[in-house]
Amino acid sequence: MVIINTIMATEMKDKLIKNGNLRAIFYKKPVKKDNYNLDVDNIDTFQEIRRRRLLQFQKKCRDTAFNIGRGILEEAFNSEDEYEEEMEIQKIDKKGYYYSKRNKNYANQLMMSEWMLEVPQDLVGKWIVVPCPQGKRTLLVARKGITKVYNRHGNNLGKFHSALPGGNPSEHRGSCTILDCLWIKQQKIYYILDVLAWSNQSLINCDTEFRFFWLRSKMQEIEELHKRDTYRNSFPILPLPNISCDTDISLALANLSNLYPLDGLLFYHKDGQYTKGRTPLVTWSKTFMLPEILGISVPPPLDEQPDGYIDFVHYILNNRAKKKKVESESQMDIVDENS
C-alpha cells in the first residue's frame, strides 16, 4: 500500500509540474483549527512554512519554470486572432450580457497574492513593497504590431498601439512583451506591477529582484511609454515604485500622493519567481492595517479605516464572505436567466 501511494503521489507531482502548477503540491484540503491563520485561506500550513517550501522547490525546478515561461511566450507569439473564441460573460450591472473575445492562452496567467496574515521573518532584508492605486488588473500582450489587453480570465478588453517591443507597427513587430498591469480608467494610465516577458525574453523563471531591475532598466530606455496619444503609444505605461522593506516605509508612503487613491500594498519576496495563481511569496495588505500588522504609522489619508472596522482579522474574514456571496448570487442569476 505504501508503494502504491508513493507511485500515485509521484504521478500527481509530475502532472502538476507538467501543467505548470508548481505550487499545488503544497496545498491540502482545509482542516478545522482554532487559528485564523490556517482557516482564512483554507490552507493547513502557515504562510512562513509554505514560503520556505516554495522557495526551495523553485530553486530545484528552475528548468521547469523556464520551460513554462517559454511556453506562454511561444503561445503568445504564434497564436492567431481566430483562436480567440466568443464567450458570453455577465455585465457588471447584471442587466444583460455582452460578447467578449476570450483567449485561453492568457487565462489564469496572473500571479495572485495572499492576504498578509503573518509578518515574514525575513521582511526587512528580503521583501519589496509595491503600492497599488485603485484599478483593474490586466495582462498586456504586445505582439505583431499591436498591444492587446486581457483580464485574468483571458477575456479581451481592448487593443491599442504602445511603444513596448512588439506593440506597434513601426518597429519590433517580431518581438513579444507581456506585462502584469493595473489599468486606471479615470486617468487612462497603465501601471506595471510585474513583467512576464520582454522582447522575446521570458522572465518568469527569474526572481523578483531581477525582474524589477530589468523592468526599470528597460523602461528608462523607452521614454515614449510615458507619453499619451502618440503614433506609437496611445496610453502612458508607467512603472510603480518599489519600496525596500529595509527603508522607512512610513516615509515612503507619505510621498505617494500622485498614486492616490491607493487600493493597498503588495509585498513581494525578492527571491520568488513569477508563478501563475495564488502564492505566499506575494502578500497583500490594506494601508490602514499596517499599524496592526507591522507596528508602523501610516500618514493620512492612508490610515482611514472603513466603517465598522474592528481589526484586520475580521476585515479579511468579512471580505471573503462578501466575495463568496457575490459569486453565489452571480451563479444564481445565470441559472435563472437560462431556466
Side-chain angles (χ1 to χ4, degrees):
M1 180 65 69
V2 175
I3 296 176
I4 294 175
N5 290 339
T6 302
I7 294 174
M8 292 177 63
T10 303
E11 290 177 348
M12 181 178 293
K13 177 181 176 181
D14 293 340
K15 182 178 180 181
L16 290 169
I17 293 175
K18 182 179 180 181
N19 293 336
N21 192 3
L22 304 182
R23 298 177 308 99
I25 62 174
F26 304 121
Y27 282 70
K28 301 178 181 179
K29 293 182 179 180
V31 294
K32 298 295 182 180
K33 293 186 179 181
D34 295 327
N35 190 322
Y36 69 86
N37 285 335
L38 307 183
D39 187 55
V40 168
D41 281 320
N42 289 331
I43 299 169
D44 64 352
T45 309
F46 287 104
Q47 283 182 324
E48 190 68 37
I49 296 175
R50 289 186 288 112
R51 275 193 284 266
R52 292 177 184 175
R53 291 177 180 175
L54 183 53
L55 285 171
Q56 292 173 357
F57 191 79
Q58 287 184 350
K59 289 179 181 179
K60 293 179 180 179
C61 300
R62 283 195 178 275
D63 290 341
T64 302
F66 176 79
N67 292 333
I68 294 172
R70 291 302 307 176
I72 184 177
L73 193 60
E74 291 173 0
E75 289 173 353
F77 187 73
N78 294 327
S79 64
E80 300 293 339
D81 292 341
E82 54 264 28
Y83 286 105
E84 293 184 350
E85 59 183 20
E86 284 193 347
M87 178 182 179
E88 195 174 34
I89 59 177
Q90 193 174 18
K91 279 186 176 180
I92 297 177
D93 60 8
K94 299 182 180 180
K95 293 182 180 179
Y97 296 88
Y98 67 93
Y99 286 92
S100 174
K101 295 290 185 178
R102 181 176 184 270
N103 191 313
K104 294 180 180 179
N105 293 331
Y106 307 131
N108 304 315
Q109 296 294 335
L110 293 173
M111 181 164 64
M112 310 301 290
S113 63
E114 295 184 5
W115 283 101
M116 179 179 279
L117 307 177
E118 309 163 3
V119 179
Q121 295 179 3
D122 54 357
L123 177 70
V124 174
K126 284 290 187 178
W127 289 79
I128 300 171
V129 183
V130 178
C132 300
Q134 292 181 2
K136 184 178 183 63
R137 189 79 175 272
T138 59
L139 188 72
L140 284 191
V141 181
R143 54 180 279 275
K144 297 186 178 181
I146 195 70
T147 303
K148 292 191 176 183
V149 189
Y150 298 89
N151 65 12
R152 64 188 182 95
H153 302 295
N155 299 114
N156 190 336
L157 304 179
K159 59 183 179 180
F160 61 96
H161 288 165
S162 75
L164 295 170
N168 65 84
S170 61
E171 60 184 7
H172 302 299
R173 287 180 58 88
S175 297
C176 180
T177 299
I178 305 175
L179 300 177
D180 181 350
C181 295
L182 286 173
W183 164 244
I184 314 303
K185 184 177 180 180
Q186 295 79 3
Q187 303 174 13
K188 297 189 182 303
I189 293 176
Y190 286 96
Y191 282 108
I192 306 174
L193 287 173
D194 212 328
V195 53
L196 287 74
W198 186 278
S199 190
N200 294 341
Q201 176 64 51
S202 173
L203 297 168
I204 286 180
N205 67 317
C206 300
D207 59 59
T208 299
E209 192 169 29
F210 179 82
R211 294 197 312 274
F212 285 5
F213 167 77
W214 178 284
L215 184 60
R216 287 195 304 271
S217 301
K218 296 301 179 181
M219 293 293 291
Q220 291 173 0
E221 297 174 2
I222 310 177
E223 295 183 0
E224 196 167 356
L225 287 172
H226 294 257
K227 299 179 180 179
R228 184 189 303 274
D229 295 330
T230 68
Y231 174 72
R232 294 200 316 150
N233 203 72
S234 301
F235 305 106
I237 303 176
L238 308 177
L240 283 167
N242 298 156
I243 305 169
S244 178
C245 286
D246 60 1
T247 61
D248 189 335
I249 298 178
S250 299
L251 179 61
L253 293 177
N255 296 321
L256 297 177
S257 58
N258 61 311
L259 296 179
Y260 291 171
L262 280 184
D263 190 20
L265 304 174
L266 283 173
F267 290 75
Y268 287 80
H269 195 287
K270 291 182 179 181
D271 297 335
Q273 298 173 11
Y274 194 99
T275 309
K276 64 180 181 180
R278 204 168 298 279
T279 172
L281 297 177
V282 182
T283 60
W284 169 259
S285 177
K286 294 289 189 178
T287 54
F288 54 79
M289 296 178 177
L290 295 185
E292 293 177 76
I293 300 176
L294 300 183
I296 63 174
S297 61
V298 179
L302 301 181
D303 60 345
E304 295 179 1
Q305 299 174 347
D307 294 338
Y309 182 80
I310 301 175
D311 56 34
F312 79 97
V313 179
H314 286 84
Y315 183 90
I316 293 172
L317 292 173
N318 289 336
N319 181 270
R320 288 180 59 84
K322 289 178 181 178
K323 284 187 176 181
K324 288 182 179 179
K325 183 179 180 181
V326 170
E327 291 174 358
S328 176
E329 290 177 350
S330 176
Q331 292 175 357
M332 290 175 62
D333 289 342
I334 294 175
V335 171
D336 292 340
E337 187 73 22
N338 295 332
S339 59

